[in-house]
Amino acid sequence: MTRSAATAVTTALSALALLWIIALLARDDPSLTGAPLGMAAWWGTAVTLVLQSVALLWGRHQVTATLGCVAGLCLVLAAVFPSGLFTVTALPVLVGAFLAGLTGAWRDVCRWALASGVLVSTAHFVNGSADGRTGGWGLVMQALLQAALVVGLPLLPASVIAAQRATRAAQQETLAAVTRERDAKIGEAIALERAAMARELHDIAAHHLSGISLMASVVARQTASAPGEAHSGALEIRKQSNAILDDLRRLVGLLRDVGHQDEGVKTLATLPHLIATARLTGAQVDFDLRSDERRKPGAGVSLLGQLAAYRIVQESLTNASRHAPGAPCVVTVDDRDPRTLRITVRNAPPGPQARPASRGTGYGIIGMRERSALIGGSFGAGPTDDDGWETRISIPRESGHHLPEQFT
């Protein structure tokens, strides 16, 4: 059962129950209805109440016009069967006025409420005149008061509820728009970050393939006296390497920014230069390298992993200078674990006289998380116990993957 059907049925049952109670009371006090009434008046009132409730049901799409229809049925009953039972018909009018104020347009509600008020006051006047209560201006005032109470009073709470609903709907629409805008900005930030990673991936792949091509050419020269099949295979390696390099440049080069100039592939070995550059801007940055003397720092970590670590440290230092200017910062590279390289960038809270930048968008963290996911690492960032900030990244080592020293 729909809400409108439930409202109509409840209104009909309530009105008929009220009419039945009046009938029971009228047995002991016939003056309750003003005068003894025949069955026609009772049945006429019951039919009117049912018709009013049906009008509420069928008018679920035109609630304002339904109010006028319900009020018009009151006038019909007053003209055909005037009696003290007329007052019961006010209940469906009350419900109709409330529904109109709750769901109807305010301009239509005002127009139909005025028309319904005229119908209700006219019906009350007609019923009172035919019922023998000819009080002149007193009856007119009663009719106007009846219209104000039956039609005007329910509109007050209904209009308040309707206004609250409209406010909530506007807030939800605004929130949805803000969410869409935020998602669009996040998508744009991720796309830009992935484009940057594509540029850097191109440089790394070019670095590897250039080395392969160089090695193949050396092999070709060194195997001049070897069987011809080995010589041809070496030349084929060089040919295929150059072809892959050209194809990769054409494919990924579409994502490169015009005029972009890269200073070269960034690795863990270039972190000290990055920190020195940050110090030149006045930042207090310390570098703590915890390495295993048995192997070279960063051994087993791919160039892509080292590049991701470099970019994350770079972004973390930028965020520290923006949100905690003047605060000491420590970059820790823990290279002692044989399976994982861990890097931590931790900055203290800003000083009392510092003016940190406005709250960021969070896109930098999204980019760092994207980079970490690209290399299969784990990323974490958040406030510290002393109200500072810490960024953490763990990069797995690629066992068995070691480039010759001259190509790293």
Side-chain angles (χ1 to χ4, degrees):
M1 181 181 294
T2 62
R3 183 179 301 179
S4 57
T7 301
V9 171
T10 303
T11 303
L13 294 177
S14 300
L16 292 175
L18 182 59
L19 183 64
W20 179 68
I21 292 173
I22 294 175
L24 293 178
L25 296 176
R27 292 179 180 179
D28 299 330
D29 186 8
S31 62
L32 185 65
T33 58
L37 300 177
M39 292 300 297
W42 289 99
W43 281 107
T45 304
V47 170
T48 302
L49 294 175
V50 172
L51 291 177
Q52 287 178 311
S53 301
V54 171
L56 293 176
L57 172 63
W58 290 105
R60 58 184 180 275
H61 300 299
Q62 295 291 336
V63 290
T64 51
T66 299
L67 176 59
C69 179
V70 174
L73 290 172
C74 295
L75 181 58
V76 172
L77 178 64
V80 178
F81 299 109
S83 66
L85 301 178
F86 170 80
T87 307
V88 183
T89 60
L91 179 59
V93 179
L94 280 166
V95 176
F98 182 80
L99 293 177
L102 192 63
T103 59
W106 182 246
R107 181 178 301 177
D108 295 338
V109 170
C110 293
R111 183 172 62 251
W112 283 99
L114 180 61
S116 301
V118 172
L119 290 174
V120 170
S121 59
T122 303
H124 186 82
F125 183 83
V126 171
N127 184 79
S129 300
D131 201 25
R133 292 175 290 163
T134 55
W137 286 106
L139 184 58
V140 173
M141 294 302 297
Q142 290 179 8
L144 295 176
L145 181 61
Q146 176 84 353
L149 293 176
V150 174
V151 178
L153 187 60
L155 291 178
L156 296 178
S159 61
V160 172
I161 296 175
Q164 292 176 346
R165 285 183 175 180
T167 302
R168 286 196 298 269
Q171 291 175 345
Q172 292 176 354
E173 184 177 355
T174 302
L175 180 60
V178 171
T179 302
R180 289 193 299 268
E181 181 180 3
R182 182 201 62 190
D183 293 342
K185 289 182 178 179
I186 291 177
E188 181 181 0
I190 292 177
L192 292 175
E193 187 65 24
R194 288 180 176 176
M197 287 187 287
R199 294 194 303 266
E200 295 161 348
L201 180 62
H202 170 273
D203 295 333
I204 291 176
H207 183 81
H208 279 294
L209 293 176
S210 297
I212 293 174
S213 179
L214 179 60
M215 293 173 62
S217 63
V218 172
V219 171
R221 289 196 301 269
Q222 291 178 344
T223 57
S225 59
E229 294 151 347
H231 181 71
S232 300
L235 293 177
E236 184 66 20
I237 291 174
R238 182 180 183 184
K239 179 181 177 181
Q240 292 297 328
S241 299
N242 290 331
I244 293 173
L245 181 61
D246 292 338
D247 291 341
L248 185 61
R249 281 174 176 167
R250 284 193 295 268
L251 177 63
V252 185
L254 297 176
L255 298 175
R256 299 176 65 96
D257 293 336
V258 178
H260 175 78
Q261 297 180 354
D262 201 324
E263 300 174 354
V265 178
K266 306 300 182 182
T267 64
L268 293 178
T270 59
L271 277 180
H273 177 71
L274 173 64
I275 294 174
T277 303
R279 289 171 180 169
L280 292 177
T281 63
Q284 303 179 37
V285 184
D286 293 330
F287 181 58
D288 183 10
L289 176 60
R290 305 172 184 177
S291 60
D292 190 339
E293 297 179 355
R294 294 173 298 178
R295 62 173 179 271
K296 183 180 178 181
V301 178
S302 66
L303 282 179
L304 184 60
Q306 296 190 40
L307 174 62
Y310 179 92
R311 294 303 186 194
I312 290 175
V313 172
Q314 185 180 42
E315 180 69 21
S316 300
L317 293 177
T318 301
N319 290 341
S321 64
R322 180 183 301 130
H323 300 288
C329 188
V330 179
V331 178
T332 303
V333 178
D334 190 348
D335 195 37
R336 295 172 296 182
D337 193 323
R339 292 176 297 180
T340 305
L341 172 69
R342 294 182 175 88
I343 298 179
T344 303
V345 181
R346 183 187 182 104
N347 64 268
Q353 297 180 350
R355 294 183 178 179
S358 59
R359 183 179 179 88
T361 59
Y363 301 151
I365 293 180
I366 293 175
M368 289 188 283
R369 184 172 285 110
E370 283 279 326
R371 288 183 179 275
S372 178
L374 177 66
I375 60 175
S378 60
F379 173 82
T384 59
D385 295 337
D386 58 352
D387 294 331
W389 189 267
E390 185 178 78
T391 302
R392 302 170 300 276
I393 179 176
S394 298
I395 305 174
R397 301 183 192 273
E398 297 181 356
S399 58
H401 177 72
H402 300 283
L403 288 175
E405 185 175 352
Q406 64 268 31
F407 295 108
T408 58

